[in-house]
Amino acid sequence: MRVDEGVRAAAEYPAAPVVITGNANWMREQVGDRIQPESRILMERDALNTWGDAEKTRAILDRFGSKKVLLVTNWFHARRALATFRKVQPGRTFAMRFSPKPKAMQEWDQGQEKRERMAAVFYLFRYGIWAF
């Protein structure tokens, strides 16, 4: 699960701020008190999609002078998220960490994988982002 990956990454980089976006309220609930101090957790609640996540986190990252950013997401979303953030914020270096693809995919995972492929095609035509 991406929340667990994010918590592990936060533990590896204890001085770094943690920006939660993309279903942020639910994600924050799942994190609970596993990231300390809680003051390092910043929320971006307004974005409606990955493009919006990338646009709206720019100001937050600028505030901290962040030049290198580790993105954490689901396995099916990793390529499009990384490509989108790199296009929207070209002055930063982005790396990626994601929850692993399950060996036995449940119906939800299969549906998300199909949805992500459609979203990648949309992003190619709408934003010129190659995420295949």
Side-chain angles (χ1 to χ4, degrees), residues 86-99:
R86 284 178 172 165
K87 177 150 188 159
V88 173
Q89 298 186 39
R92 291 187 219 288
T93 301
F94 290 95
M96 176 62 61
R97 183 178 289 181
F98 50 90
S99 57

Side-chain angles (χ1 to χ4, degrees), residues 64-80:
F64 288 92
S66 301
K67 298 290 183 209
K68 296 179 181 179
V69 177
L70 178 64
L71 299 175
V72 179
T73 191
N74 293 310
W75 63 271
F76 52 80
H77 184 236
R79 283 182 275 194
R80 185 166 59 90

Side-chain angles (χ1 to χ4, degrees), residues 42-61:
L42 307 162
M43 304 287 289
E44 193 300 296
R45 293 182 174 97
D46 297 329
L48 300 176
N49 56 31
T50 305
W51 183 269
D53 292 337
E55 284 186 322
K56 293 183 180 294
T57 58
R58 182 183 1 226
I60 296 169
L61 297 172

Side-chain angles (χ1 to χ4, degrees), residues 18-36:
V18 176
V19 180
I20 298 177
T21 187
N23 202 1
N25 291 331
W26 179 85
M27 297 274 290
R28 181 64 185 93
E29 280 180 28
Q30 300 305 306
V31 166
D33 64 354
R34 296 187 290 166
I35 296 176
Q36 294 295 325

